[in-house]
């Protein structure tokens, strides 16, 4: 059972014109017991990055890549910063 896992998280804010406003990359490296891995696979867990941007409405694009399997997922979400 592979107990070490590594994932990359990339987050970017773009404005209504599609221009890049802010972005950041982070990496999560964990060493888990098999039971903990299976629990987190069922329930999930949170990762976070803080992006600094002026007030406004943006599209947040997040991409997560799991290094061991090469699987990736991406999501877009409209966010408002006040």
């Amino acid at each position: 059972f592979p107990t070490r896992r590594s994932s990359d998280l990339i987050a970017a804010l773009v404005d209504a014109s599609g221009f890049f406003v802010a972005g950041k990359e982070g990496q999560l490296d964990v060493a888990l017991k098999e039971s903990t891995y299976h629990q987190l696979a069922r329930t999930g867990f949170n990762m976070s990055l803080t992006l600094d941007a002026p007030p406004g409405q943006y599209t947040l694009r997040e991409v997560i890549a799991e290094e061991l399997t090469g699987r990736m997922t991406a999501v877009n979400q409209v966010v408002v910063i006040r």
Side-chain angles (χ1 to χ4, degrees), residues 24-50:
K24 196 176 279 187
E25 180 179 3
Q27 187 169 39
L28 174 71
D29 294 306
V30 295
L32 302 172
K33 296 178 185 177
E34 185 173 0
S35 60
T36 304
Y37 170 80
H38 290 297
Q39 177 184 346
L40 291 175
R42 283 191 314 276
T43 62
F45 62 94
N46 294 321
M47 290 176 61
S48 66
L49 292 174
T50 301

Side-chain angles (χ1 to χ4, degrees), residues 12-78:
L13 288 174
V14 295
D15 65 15
S17 299
F19 290 105
F20 175 86
V21 176
K24 196 176 279 187
E25 180 179 3
Q27 187 169 39
L28 174 71
D29 294 306
V30 295
L32 302 172
K33 296 178 185 177
E34 185 173 0
S35 60
T36 304
Y37 170 80
H38 290 297
Q39 177 184 346
L40 291 175
R42 283 191 314 276
T43 62
F45 62 94
N46 294 321
M47 290 176 61
S48 66
L49 292 174
T50 301
L51 301 175
D52 294 318
Q57 182 171 310
Y58 303 97
T59 298
L60 173 64
R61 172 88 169 158
E62 300 165 300
V63 179
I64 299 175
E66 205 279 317
E67 290 185 3
L68 182 64
T69 63
R71 293 187 298 180
M72 299 179 88
T73 189
V75 65
N76 290 328
Q77 182 174 350
V78 175

